[in-house]
Amino acid sequence: MAMALSSAATVRAFSQVVAAKQTVASKARAVVTKAGSEELYVETGASTYSGNYDEALWPNWADNKTDEEITKSAEVELMHGRWAMLGCAGAWGAEVGTGINWFQAGAVCTPEDCTGIVFPGQVIPLAPEGSGFPQFYNVLAGTVILMGLSEAYRTGLTAPAFPELEVGDLHPGGEHFDPLNLAESPSFDFDRMKIAELKHARLAMLSWLGYMSQAVATNCDNPFGIGSETWPSYIEGAKGPYANWQDHVADPFVENVWKYTGLFQ
């Protein structure tokens, strides 16, 4: 009898937890649904803010998915898109400013020598010459700590650093994330800006795929890297996206994708 009561209590408690999660997901989905309008997304496909996925590029994408799963997928897409926007701008800016392409940037800071870090526009060194700084393990530890804390705050693993931070809220705003209070400005269409960010994020993810494809296609033995003896990271003088763009602008009818695929040549 005691075991039966205990089992019933356990099942009831588990059901309450699941119901609570579904409620949270439904609330999050409601926020997503209210955030924007498909009138703001005129391109092919659908935004994640409308709540209507009938026009999603992947057929029947939302079928058999819970509100929580859909909300999580929308969150993951935007996070990946933000990283892609940072990555594209960073890779381009770094190559323009330093001449080092993104897939060989790791060679600048190794356990043997990490003193070659130079930022675009840098006028003074990060440390005095001959000091041995910055050190690889300091850079590694700082990166792990900062990224670890950021992810801990974002996922709720630890208490939020700021009161406006909530787990799952990708647009926290407030004095720390919107110090100019643009979201409340009458001249600033917040919903339109969220749609614009999503469009840029999706474009940046495709752009980063292009960055990776360019690295292989223009530097390896064949455009797909299949059977290549080495990869771009280890090829001396390998060209990055900015160098390829300069070549294309200088001679667009020769320096293009057809040259490397061998088609129409």
Side-chain angles (χ1 to χ4, degrees):
M1 183 67 177
M3 288 182 63
L5 290 174
S6 177
S7 299
T10 302
V11 171
R12 190 180 300 110
F14 177 74
S15 301
Q16 290 174 347
V17 170
V18 172
K21 287 185 176 180
Q22 291 291 344
T23 301
V24 171
S26 298
K27 288 182 179 179
R29 176 70 181 276
V31 170
V32 170
T33 304
K34 293 188 297 182
S37 167
E38 287 303 292
E39 294 178 1
L40 300 177
Y41 198 102
V42 297
E43 292 81 5
T44 302
S47 78
T48 52
Y49 298 117
S50 68
N52 176 19
Y53 301 101
D54 293 338
E55 297 181 0
L57 293 179
W58 191 270
N60 306 319
W61 177 83
D63 289 359
N64 302 319
K65 285 186 173 68
T66 65
D67 287 346
E68 185 177 22
E69 290 173 329
I70 290 176
T71 302
K72 185 64 176 178
S73 295
E75 176 185 336
V76 169
E77 180 192 30
L78 188 56
M79 291 294 295
H80 278 79
R82 287 173 174 175
W83 276 115
M85 288 188 283
L86 286 171
C88 288
W92 188 271
E95 187 175 347
V96 172
T98 67
I100 302 172
N101 57 60
W102 65 270
F103 50 83
Q104 293 182 323
V108 176
C109 184
T110 65
E112 291 75 27
D113 182 19
C114 192
T115 59
I117 297 179
V118 178
F119 294 98
Q122 180 176 314
V123 294
I124 58 174
L126 294 178
E129 187 176 353
S131 66
F133 289 93
Q135 290 184 336
F136 172 81
Y137 294 104
N138 291 343
V139 174
L140 177 63
T143 302
V144 170
I145 292 172
L146 291 175
M147 285 302 303
L149 284 174
S150 298
E151 286 299 287
Y153 291 140
R154 183 182 70 83
T155 58
L157 191 62
T158 188
F162 307 113
E164 61 266 34
L165 274 179
E166 292 184 13
V167 176
D169 184 5
L170 298 182
H171 305 89
E175 62 176 329
H176 296 98
F177 298 91
D178 185 16
L180 300 179
N181 201 29
L182 294 176
E184 303 299 328
S185 172
S187 60
F188 187 87
D189 191 335
F190 188 48
D191 289 343
R192 183 176 293 276
M193 291 300 101
K194 289 168 71 175
I195 293 291
E197 180 193 32
L198 179 63
K199 291 179 181 179
H200 281 81
R202 289 174 172 176
L203 183 61
M205 286 188 283
L206 284 174
S207 179
W208 189 254
L209 178 61
Y211 275 39
M212 293 189 294
S213 301
Q214 169 274 322
V216 174
T218 63
N219 293 300
C220 290
D221 300 335
N222 64 73
F224 305 104
I226 300 174
S228 180
E229 294 183 2
T230 186
W231 287 92
S233 300
Y234 305 100
I235 297 176
E236 188 72 25
K239 290 185 175 182
Y242 177 65
N244 272 160
W245 176 78
Q246 286 183 308
D247 291 343
H248 174 69
V249 171
D251 194 355
F253 295 104
V254 174
E255 290 294 334
N256 52 53
V257 66
W258 309 123
K259 171 184 175 180
Y260 297 98
T261 58
L263 299 175
F264 307 111
Q265 294 294 312

